[in-house]
Amino acid sequence: MHKKSIQLLNKAIHEELQAIHQYMYFHFHCDDQGYDLLAGLFKRTAIDEMIHVEKCAERILFLKGEVEMNAAGEVQKIKDVKEMLKLAAKMESDSTKEYNIWANECAQNADSASKQVFESLVLDEERHFDQYDTETENLEKFGENYLALQSIERSKGRQAGTPAN
Ligand SMILES: [Fe+2]
Ligand SMILES: [Fe+2]
């Protein structure tokens, strides 16, 4: 039994669960503030993280371990969009670093399948980081206009959905 791999996979599950909670929190607060683009991005990313939990859990069960479904920490109650993106980008870059290290650790313990799970997660987390980084750049470049545009798009969508008199 790969005890160390099971431990690392469970650590990943704790972080993924925390990310799901945090991104869902960001999703419904962006939605509430009318920022549909960002609300959608956080929702889709939370769903990706859910798939990561599933991948880790499947591997743990294959190794005959127990899946520990606890989030690594509390949700941070951030409502400012710039701060949301800052935290999200940090979470993704932290995960990327850790999963790279854990992939190597699994390889050293002759568990290449767990290594591959972590490697596949790294690819997704780098993509998530890139998405948040791009949105931070857009926000810095276009300032309030970037957010205003998202609200206007929502209003347009609502008008389009209103039946004509
Ligand atoms: Fe993830
Ligand atoms: Fe991620």
Side-chain angles (χ1 to χ4, degrees):
M1 189 166 97
H2 287 289
K3 212 173 155 190
K4 185 67 194 176
S5 295
I6 293 168
Q7 196 192 332
L8 294 175
L9 288 158
N10 265 318
K11 266 173 92 170
I13 285 180
H14 301 159
E15 293 189 9
E16 296 291 342
L17 288 171
Q18 188 183 3
I20 292 166
H21 295 170
Q22 190 69 63
Y23 294 163
M24 282 181 72
Y25 183 88
F26 288 164
H27 159 72
F28 50 67
H29 275 288
C30 282
D31 187 59
D32 186 49
Q33 293 177 60
Y35 307 142
D36 288 350
L37 187 145
L38 285 174
L41 178 63
F42 283 123
K43 184 174 179 171
R44 285 194 306 279
T45 316
I47 293 168
D48 279 357
E49 311 301 13
M50 200 178 92
I51 294 164
H52 290 174
V53 171
E54 206 173 359
K55 280 187 180 178
C56 292
E58 278 170 5
R59 183 65 192 152
I60 291 171
L61 292 179
F62 180 84
L63 295 171
K64 305 262 187 271
E66 183 65 56
V67 179
E68 306 291 348
M69 293 290 281
N70 309 310
E74 295 290 314
V75 166
Q76 294 196 36
K77 297 187 176 90
I78 297 169
K79 293 172 185 90
D80 175 76
V81 170
K82 199 174 175 185
E83 291 303 314
M84 285 181 190
L85 288 169
K86 198 170 145 191
L87 177 66
K90 188 187 178 302
M91 285 163 65
E92 296 296 341
S93 76
D94 286 351
S95 299
T96 302
K97 277 181 214 150
E98 280 177 336
Y99 295 165
N100 266 307
I101 293 168
W102 298 348
N104 288 336
E105 224 172 311
C106 291
Q108 279 162 16
N109 297 329
D111 179 8
S112 64
S114 297
K115 171 181 176 267
Q116 280 175 32
V117 170
F118 283 123
E119 283 174 345
S120 76
L121 264 52
V122 166
L123 287 173
D124 285 345
E125 311 306 11
E126 284 189 345
R127 181 171 50 82
H128 294 161
F129 173 83
D130 195 45
Q131 286 169 341
Y132 292 140
D133 197 44
T134 302
E135 294 314 317
T136 303
E137 276 174 25
N138 285 340
L139 187 54
E140 279 167 4
K141 220 187 301 175
F142 305 116
E144 286 300 313
N145 292 338
Y146 165 82
L147 295 172
L149 198 64
Q150 294 192 32
S151 298
I152 291 167
E153 282 302 315
R154 174 183 283 200
S155 300
K156 273 198 221 162
R158 281 207 177 133
Q159 275 172 4
T162 311
N165 302 325

